Amino acid sequence: LRFDEKVRVVLFKSQVKGVFCAGADLKERAKMDDAEVGLFVRRLRNLMDEIAALPVPTIAAIDGYALGGGLELALACDLRVAASSAKMGLIETTRGLLPGAGGTQRLPRCVGIGLAKELIFTGRQIDGQQAFSMGLVNHSVPQNSEGDAAYQRALALAKEILPQAPFAVKMGKLAINRGMEVDIASGMAIEGMCYAQNIPTRDRQEGMAAFREKRPPRFIGK
């Protein structure tokens, strides 16, 4: 996906009705020794980092349970859409664990330190509407009879992104992600570098030409 230039947006959805991702299989985990558990969690954290590093926008469609590593998967995405009936939470402390695949870092960056601490310390599960009210998800929608309301809303969101200039969107994502980790002056420098890479693109020229000619732009990602 990372190297396929035809990919503009990546959606994460489940094929299992009522469950986005239920997290680790604790019965499987119980059979591992300490070293195996450590390796398993490191590999899981690396996977989430790879998802977060995808250059195109990513959207998690949460139509059911997103618990533990399942919510960490959603947090690794850029955008999240949840059915109002979905249940999500970093429930690791209820099992004698703590989030180990990025949850302790991505949740506070998403909802703020205070709320993140409350959710992680209590292991609380929240529904889609509660998640929306605290900024954990971008949209909360009523579930439909097919059980894929979040996916349908995520698909509509993806279709809003698709017509935009692909390289500009990628640079925008890069500037935001890198800029959030540094002070604002350094962030401005990162934005400037990303903007400089976008200036010579054919899409920028096409965008200007389309504006002058009062027509929709035809972006090609170059």
Side-chain angles (χ1 to χ4, degrees):
L1 290 174
R2 180 179 297 166
F3 302 109
D4 188 343
E5 292 188 357
K6 294 179 181 177
V7 174
R8 302 280 185 92
V9 185
V10 175
L11 267 61
F12 287 83
K13 70 181 290 288
S14 173
Q15 296 289 75
V16 180
K17 191 172 183 178
V19 180
F20 172 72
C21 178
D25 182 343
L26 295 184
K27 292 180 181 178
E28 177 189 53
R29 186 77 67 83
K31 298 175 184 177
M32 300 178 183
D33 61 31
D34 290 355
E36 289 172 325
V37 170
L39 177 62
F40 179 90
V41 173
R42 281 197 300 276
R43 290 178 63 192
L44 195 59
R45 190 182 304 118
N46 290 341
L47 172 63
M48 300 309 177
D49 287 345
E50 287 191 23
I51 290 169
L54 282 170
V56 297
T58 53
I59 308 174
I62 308 168
D63 272 307
Y65 286 95
L67 303 175
L71 181 53
E72 288 177 306
L73 169 60
L75 284 165
C77 295
D78 297 310
L79 308 173
R80 286 159 293 281
V81 178
S84 54
S85 58
K87 293 292 184 183
M88 58 199 85
L90 294 179
I91 61 170
E92 285 86 349
T93 56
T94 69
R95 301 292 184 266
L97 304 165
L98 72 152
T104 64
Q105 302 306 304
R106 292 193 174 99
L107 185 62
R109 285 167 167 80
C110 185
V111 301
I113 294 173
L115 274 174
K117 286 180 176 178
E118 182 176 336
L119 291 174
I120 290 172
F121 294 170
T122 63
R124 184 185 305 149
Q125 296 183 36
I126 58 174
D127 62 28
Q129 189 56 45
Q130 290 171 307
F132 175 72
S133 70
M134 63 178 63
L136 178 54
V137 301
N138 296 74
H139 303 276
S140 175
V141 292
Q143 189 55 279
N144 58 28
S145 57
E146 289 76 25
D148 69 347
Y151 171 65
Q152 294 301 329
R153 182 66 185 90
L155 201 58
L157 186 54
K159 289 177 179 177
E160 281 189 76
I161 297 171
L162 282 176
Q164 316 315 326
F167 188 76
V169 170
K170 288 179 181 180
M171 287 295 102
K173 173 173 175 170
L174 182 63
I176 293 169
N177 286 352
R178 295 285 174 82
M180 286 298 293
E181 306 306 321
V182 298
D183 63 90
I184 192 165
S186 301
M188 292 296 184
I190 290 168
E191 181 185 275
M193 289 186 286
C194 290
Y195 199 97
Q197 290 182 63
N198 193 71
I199 289 174
T201 61
R202 289 164 62 184
D203 278 352
R204 187 185 75 87
Q205 296 166 354
E206 165 63 13
M208 298 298 102
F211 177 77
R212 288 195 306 270
E213 297 162 16
K214 295 181 171 58
R215 60 170 175 80
R218 294 182 292 272
F219 295 124
I220 59 173
K222 302 289 185 182

